[in-house]
Amino acid sequence: MQSTGTRNPATTPTHCPYCALQCGMNLTPVEGGTVEVSERADFPVNRGALCGKGRTAAAVLAPGARLTSPLVRSGDGALVQAGWDEALDRIAGNLERTRARYGADALGVFGGGGLTNEKAYALGKFARVVLGTSQIDYNGRFCMSSAAAAGTRAFGLDRGLPFPLEDVPRTGCVILVGSNPAETMPPSLRYFTELRENGGTLIVVDPRRTRTAEQADLHLAPRPGTDLALALGMLHLVVAEGRVDEAYVEERTSGWEEARAAAMAHWPEHVERITGVSVPELREAVRLFCAPEAAMVLTARGPEQQAKGTDTVGAWINLCLATGRAGRPLSGYGCLTGQGNGQGGREHGQKADQLPGYRKLTDPAARRHVAGVWGVAPDSLPGPGRSAYELLDALGTDVRSLLVMGSNPVVSAPRAAHVEERLRSLDFLAVCDVVLSETAELADVVLPVTQWAEETGTTTSLEGRVLLRRRAITPPDGVRGDLEVLHGLAGRLGVEKGFPTDPEEVFGELRRASAGGPADYSGIDYRRLAEENGVFWPCPAPTGGDDTRNPTAPHPGTPRLFLDRFATDDGRARFVPVAHRPSAEEPDDEYPVLLTTGRVVSQYQSGAQTRRVAELNAAAPGPFVELHPRLAARLGAAEGDPLAVVSRRGRAVAPARITTGIRPDTVFMPFHWPGEGRANTLTNPALDPTSRMPEFKVCAVRVETVTS
């Protein structure tokens, strides 16, 4: 937990840099120049609890773990230290030359779901105002874009959870679909434990018997890629058993008859053949879900990271709507966002089709409003660009120069070997990062930027709670903030104003840009965030409306959405008829096994930071292939034997981990590591037609033993 520089003398309350729980923590300087992470019991989400990643987060502040000087590619191909002016001049010069030769859309920007709201906002503005390019997207497209698309389609608005986590233990039943919070966000597991202690039931849908599934009252283990059929089968039984909340459907929804007809084509025996989940298990799941007065469905990457992810989430939403489990107290559909600012990261302009405030880039009124805040003509703003994978796939051809901020696609993108090849083919690549990630190693210029403890800014948690991260320590000499980087580049590219380096000033502009939009932050400021432990959006500025007795009173924020009406034109939720379809790649004689991917408790995302922490590496030192004993027996493989997993896109090798907790037709690999064991070498970039989410969670592979 080493760091450098001058430190504040007092303990600083802040938030974890990792997942979307954004757990509260305290940072305190101690004798010897180290920073101690300690629990912060006053923050209501984690109530003091921290996982291993949070406890060791300060280790990445150490000089040996992180970058402390800009790097530029020398004539002999090596990355060598350079000054900031040289590095920024080189980036600006290359971007300008590319634009002059090929046009603005030859410039690409790839952001990250871990950037603060201020940085995400400034990056989107930089791409559109300074570079004039439409080619911007971010790695959050790989996180919950399918859930966002389905939620917007059904409710008119997407916010990961439309209610706070504190509601979870008070409901009657939760269905967790493709989520393993025991490993992905361990402090949240207490909510599900308390649910059961309060007499509620937990149903977990996962092809693996994870640590979370072991806590469940009912574990359903469908074949990967069949979650859509499972949800439709449950809805069929809801109809057949007379469990539809007819009054709710009539009063608060539209489109039921078409959705009902689609579900009735998925009778239980048919769904059993598709999913492998037995009819008695289906019936028990429906009984448990419908028995209490209130219930929830929560999804994560399992059903979302599919080429039919939007329809899959939509089917689970349809189940909630048919049973009256949305827009009511202690009920609803929600998505467990993954990245630390996955929610805020897409609300304020990093995403290819969005402007700040969750406005649509194609909406003329939205363009006028944001252009007015930015002081530019609405017609000067480019239209929507490519989605994340499509942008990466276009590198070296249509997109010739790329700026990456806070992402490591060499490890995290699907068909990763191809993405690495496209990155290498660029005319110019610049990367801003805390560490020398695998993507940064390919760059022409690498800029060392500040970390969470070294900067102030806001994030938006999976609950839609906007939070204030506070600067606790001074960064080392040679390290600058991302806002300073964008300010320096904008000036060199001819835009002298509009890119301040003070995060509170940037947030003030973000508030104005978001005002009146679906994600309205205009009533939020740093003072409120500090005093109130965060504020839930939407939170409009007081304009004389919300409290007629006191029209200037601050808006309290919105912890619970949709209780009075949904965010559609008529206030009704929309059923969307969906039908099961096969995965983009089904098993065959050459590739007879299904691969699914995911995380382990001691690593995070591409592992660029957590792989630099000794304690975390000791717990999870490398990749593995999880497989059932029956499959291991057919291969003649023993525990720890090296196995090759081969798909149509490449080959990965990792040791065997044999367990009865996985289906015999499925293998699992975690995706945190580069090199020979890189799971995303194998994954399929087939895209959901609506969300443009790649199909990370299911592809056809064969498994082979490796002989030395």
Side-chain angles (χ1 to χ4, degrees):
M1 296 191 291
Q2 299 285 332
S3 184
T4 63
T6 304
R7 293 168 181 80
N8 296 327
T11 292
T12 302
T14 188
H15 294 273
C16 180
Y18 293 118
C19 82
L21 281 182
Q22 287 298 278
C23 291
M25 59 169 54
N26 288 319
L27 294 182
T28 308
V30 296
E31 186 177 352
T34 62
V35 175
E36 181 180 70
V37 174
S38 60
E39 66 180 39
R40 180 183 161 197
D42 71 310
F43 187 61
V45 174
N46 62 309
R47 291 175 269 170
L50 293 171
C51 73
K53 295 185 291 292
R55 285 189 296 97
T56 61
V60 188
L61 298 167
R66 53 94 59 82
L67 294 168
T68 55
S69 171
L71 304 173
V72 299
R73 189 74 60 183
S74 66
D76 63 3
L79 283 172
V80 298
Q81 291 189 2
W84 271 94
D85 284 341
E86 178 186 352
L88 291 172
D89 287 347
R90 188 177 293 202
I91 295 173
N94 276 279
L95 294 177
E96 190 56 70
R97 284 190 290 275
T98 297
R99 181 167 60 182
R101 182 173 182 182
Y102 299 106
D105 274 357
L107 303 177
V109 176
F110 198 84
L115 300 179
T116 63
N117 289 316
E118 292 81 0
K119 292 191 282 188
Y121 171 83
L123 186 63
K125 180 181 178 182
F126 177 83
R128 296 181 174 102
V129 172
V130 178
L131 300 182
T133 183
S134 67
Q135 301 303 302
I136 176 173
D137 212 84
Y138 82 126
N139 62 16
R141 178 79 69 167
F142 300 157
C143 180
M144 55 176 289
S145 58
S146 292
T152 301
R153 196 164 67 175
F155 306 131
L157 178 68
D158 155 56
R159 193 180 82 186
L161 292 180
F163 40 74
L165 276 167
E166 68 184 46
D167 286 0
V168 170
R170 300 162 56 209
T171 192
C173 178
V174 172
I175 303 180
L176 268 180
V177 189
S179 176
N180 182 18
E183 299 207 51
T184 58
M185 44 182 66
S188 73
L189 192 63
R190 67 169 59 185
Y191 290 98
F192 304 103
T193 301
E194 290 171 8
L195 165 74
R196 298 185 69 213
E197 290 172 350
N198 292 340
T201 55
L202 176 63
I203 301 170
V204 171
V205 178
D206 199 304
R208 304 168 60 222
R209 189 162 182 81
T210 62
R211 295 183 187 180
T212 304
E214 290 174 353
Q215 308 298 315
D217 297 281
L218 178 64
H219 173 214
L220 306 179
R223 183 175 177 267
T226 64
D227 310 87
L228 175 52
L230 181 68
L232 287 165
M234 290 183 65
L235 183 53
H236 178 109
L237 285 171
V238 164
V239 175
E241 295 176 359
R243 299 180 184 270
V244 176
D245 188 334
E246 302 285 358
Y248 172 92
V249 168
E250 175 67 24
E251 180 183 353
R252 300 203 60 188
T253 73
S254 62
W256 167 233
E257 289 305 319
E258 294 84 355
R260 177 186 181 279
M264 296 315 287
H266 299 76
W267 61 95
E269 291 77 13
H270 178 52
V271 169
E272 180 181 75
R273 288 194 293 272
I274 294 171
T275 65
V277 176
S278 70
V279 173
E281 288 176 311
L282 279 173
R283 293 189 185 278
E284 178 65 2
V286 169
R287 185 190 70 80
L288 291 173
F289 184 66
C290 293
E293 182 178 344
M296 301 173 178
V297 173
L298 304 178
T299 66
R301 307 302 80 76
E304 298 163 18
Q305 288 181 326
Q306 299 183 30
K308 52 180 181 290
T310 302
D311 284 355
T312 300
V313 173
W316 290 104
I317 291 175
N318 286 349
L319 178 67
C320 290
L321 294 176
T323 54
R325 308 304 177 86
R328 283 179 167 172
L330 307 181
S331 287
Y333 163 76
C335 167
L336 298 176
T337 309
Q339 294 192 77
N341 197 31
Q343 182 70 48
R346 69 181 180 283
E347 293 169 4
H348 299 299
Q350 279 192 104
K351 197 160 168 277
D353 57 354
Q354 285 177 347
L355 288 170
Y358 232 152
R359 288 182 160 92
K360 293 180 179 178
L361 190 52
T362 53
D363 179 358
R367 294 170 68 88
R368 285 194 301 272
H369 174 83
V370 174
V373 174
W374 289 350
V376 300
D379 290 347
S380 71
L381 299 179
R386 293 174 173 88
S387 70
Y389 179 76
E390 291 166 305
L391 173 57
L392 295 171
D393 190 42
L395 300 181
T397 53
D398 295 333
V399 177
R400 309 299 293 254
S401 293
L402 182 70
L403 172 65
V404 177
M405 188 172 281
S407 188
N408 187 19
V410 166
V411 178
S412 63
R415 196 186 174 196
H418 172 72
V419 169
E420 181 177 346
E421 176 187 314
R422 300 322 306 151
L423 285 161
R424 292 181 183 276
S425 74
L426 283 164
D427 295 348
F428 181 77
L429 172 63
V431 174
C432 304
D433 211 331
V434 171
V435 298
L436 190 65
S437 69
E438 287 71 24
T439 302
E441 288 176 351
L442 305 181
D444 298 286
V445 178
V446 182
L447 299 180
V449 291
T450 52
Q451 302 184 53
W452 100 111
E454 301 163 345
E455 60 187 14
T456 294
T458 63
T459 62
T460 306
S461 75
L462 78 171
E463 302 176 298
R465 188 194 303 252
V466 185
L467 301 165
L468 181 63
R469 280 191 194 160
R470 298 167 176 88
R471 174 170 167 157
I473 55 174
T474 300
D477 292 338
V479 173
R480 295 185 183 179
D482 294 283
L483 295 179
E484 294 177 273
V485 170
L486 295 175
H487 174 84
L489 290 176
R492 285 167 170 80
L493 292 166
V495 180
E496 299 292 340
K497 296 182 179 179
F499 290 87
T501 60
D502 176 26
E504 190 167 7
E505 185 178 347
V506 176
F507 190 75
E509 185 180 305
L510 181 158
R511 294 171 60 201
R512 298 193 298 276
S514 73
D520 190 335
Y521 284 31
S522 61
I524 305 173
D525 58 32
Y526 276 23
R527 178 194 59 78
R528 285 193 67 181
L529 295 177
E531 292 176 357
E532 300 175 31
N533 250 336
V535 178
F536 292 85
W537 72 259
C539 182
T543 55
D546 281 278
D547 187 344
T548 56
R549 295 165 300 178
N550 184 7
T552 61
H555 190 285
T558 314
R560 296 169 181 85
L561 296 171
F562 313 138
L563 295 180
D564 298 318
R565 68 189 310 275
F566 294 97
T568 55
D569 291 341
D570 59 6
R572 291 172 171 266
R574 297 192 176 9
F575 282 98
V576 177
V578 294
H580 174 71
R581 58 185 184 272
S583 298
E585 190 175 81
E586 292 287 333
D588 56 22
D589 290 343
E590 187 175 1
Y591 301 97
V593 177
L594 291 168
L595 168 70
T596 192
T597 63
R599 288 171 49 189
V600 297
V601 67
S602 294
Q603 300 289 353
Y604 180 73
Q605 302 300 79
S606 75
Q609 294 186 43
T610 52
R611 284 187 274 111
R612 287 167 167 79
V613 179
E615 181 179 329
L616 300 178
N617 276 336
F624 56 86
V625 181
E626 187 176 279
L627 72 165
H628 192 275
R630 272 190 268 167
L631 178 56
R634 287 203 300 272
L635 295 169
E639 181 77 13
D641 284 354
L643 293 177
V645 183
V646 184
S647 78
R648 290 177 173 85
R649 290 152 296 280
R651 180 176 187 264
V653 177
R657 183 173 293 182
I658 301 171
T659 174
T660 57
I662 191 168
R663 292 174 55 96
D665 58 3
T666 301
V667 295
F668 166 83
M669 290 188 72
F671 59 77
H672 309 289
W673 289 274
E676 187 180 49
R678 182 174 59 185
N680 276 321
T681 296
L682 309 168
T683 48
N684 191 352
L687 300 180
D688 180 287
T690 303
S691 68
R692 314 309 287 169
M693 167 74 85
E695 191 153 74
F696 286 98
K697 284 299 180 184
V698 53
C699 69
V701 299
R702 66 174 180 268
V703 186
E704 304 168 339
T705 55
V706 177
T707 55
S708 55

